[in-house]
Amino acid sequence: MLRLLDQRLLPGRLVWRDCPDAAAAAAAIRSMVVRGAPAIGITAAFGLAAEFARAPASGDAAVTCFEAAAGRLHDTRPTAANVRYAVERMRARLDGLLDLGASPAEVASGLEAEAEAIFAEDLAANHRIGAFGAGLLPRTAGRKARILTHCNAGALATAGYGTALGVVRAVAESGREVEVFAPETRPYLQGARLTAWELLEDRIPVTLITDGMVGSLFAVRGLDLVVVGADRIAANGDAANKIGTYQSALIAKAWDVPFLVAAPFSTVDLRAPSGAAIPIEERAPEEITEFAGAPVAPDGVGVWNPAFDVTPARLITAIVTDRGVARPPYEQTLRSLSPA
Ligand code: MRU
């Protein structure tokens, strides 16, 4: 059975939650027990496999349950391309098995195998992304390399190793000294709670800052590289990622520091021509008006809480995928990396 580490409780407590069916998977994604685009895609895949396996023995009823669950999972977090990728892959596998006349038990084990494959492929993809991305870190003349990230695009957000933090890990594994700067990532604090914890666990030096300190960090301390993850990358290279990413990209451009987006190809959505076609999730006002459950803003204040922003392709030095490194013009390079 799928078991998820409850990321809402980190870094204070390590609590695992059982996820026996698609409804539990959808609830875990919506409530942020699990978050990060690849991790929620993988969760959706295992949720669908579990849903088919526990449905009534009749194949038709199980297919109906599967389709209802697919719809629910698809709508959980609209920005992440990986959820749609996982749902579409699971549906294609289901259709293939049904066309072959597989029994309900054979379909159930085929779907489980597909979810396992999505998990294993993501893990392998992250190691390839790490290797490609590490090669793009500029020389630092014998001193520690200083890398800025945003949110958490690490092992917690993926099958393991991470995308942006996979690049950091690959740099550290190559023997280069590295120091990471992690903005806290308002309002949900993925940087403070998750990235800082994950890197400290790996003994990679990390310094926590507030989101508003990024400009000063470039000006006062200096940076060698920015690397972030993505929830969805459009065909023209525009990339949606955690709110706050766009301003880091603008500042990196002003300081002429390379800005990398690291993501598996399952995050690339060639059906979205540009960032304007990417749906941006808006979350509850309480994430901003309250802090740890206590009010920090006056009752009745208006709130805008988009969970993601879109960094225009012109600010992105390179998009590091598991299939290789794409550089501008992304319309051509992303398509040329795409599986047929
Ligand atoms: O709201 P979250 O925590 O799911 O947002 C996550 C991010 O923005 C990550 O950077 C992105 O999903 C890539 S994770 C490898």
Side-chain angles (χ1 to χ4, degrees), residues 32 35-38 77 151 153 157-158 163 190 230-231 241-242 308:
M32 310 270 278
R35 33 63 54 201
R77 299 208 59 202
C151 191
T158 61
T163 56
Q190 291 94 331
D231 268 67
N241 191 48
K242 180 53 55 191
F308 301 96

Side-chain angles (χ1 to χ4, degrees), residues 110-233:
L111 290 175
E112 172 94 25
E114 190 70 14
E116 294 282 1
I118 293 172
F119 179 91
E121 286 168 29
D122 187 64
L123 186 56
N126 290 337
H127 283 276
R128 283 198 295 278
I129 289 168
F132 287 133
L136 302 179
L137 175 66
R139 291 184 188 286
T140 52
R143 65 162 171 77
K144 247 185 206 177
R146 286 191 284 264
I147 301 181
L148 175 71
T149 188
H150 193 68
C151 191
N152 172 266
L156 288 166
T158 61
Y161 202 67
T163 56
L165 296 191
V167 172
V168 168
R169 287 192 165 94
V171 168
E173 285 162 13
S174 76
R176 284 185 73 175
E177 279 203 288
V178 61
E179 175 178 17
V180 177
F181 291 88
E184 60 177 352
T185 315
R186 284 283 294 152
Y188 213 75
L189 303 181
Q190 291 94 331
R193 295 188 303 103
L194 307 177
T195 293
W197 179 75
E198 194 182 313
L199 291 175
L200 286 176
E201 287 285 301
D202 264 10
R203 299 184 192 286
I204 294 176
V206 54
T207 300
L208 182 63
I209 59 171
T210 69
D211 299 2
M213 293 172 188
V214 169
S216 278
L217 180 65
F218 276 91
V220 177
R221 305 278 290 269
L223 286 160
D224 301 299
L225 183 74
V226 184
V227 59
V228 299
D231 268 67
R232 192 183 295 238
I233 300 171

Side-chain angles (χ1 to χ4, degrees), residues 308-333:
F308 301 96
D309 56 28
V310 175
T311 298
R314 68 186 152 77
L315 299 177
I316 301 171
T317 311
I319 298 175
V320 185
T321 79
D322 50 313
R323 304 181 64 85
V325 177
R327 292 194 183 263
Y330 294 114
E331 283 87 353
Q332 287 160 34
T333 52

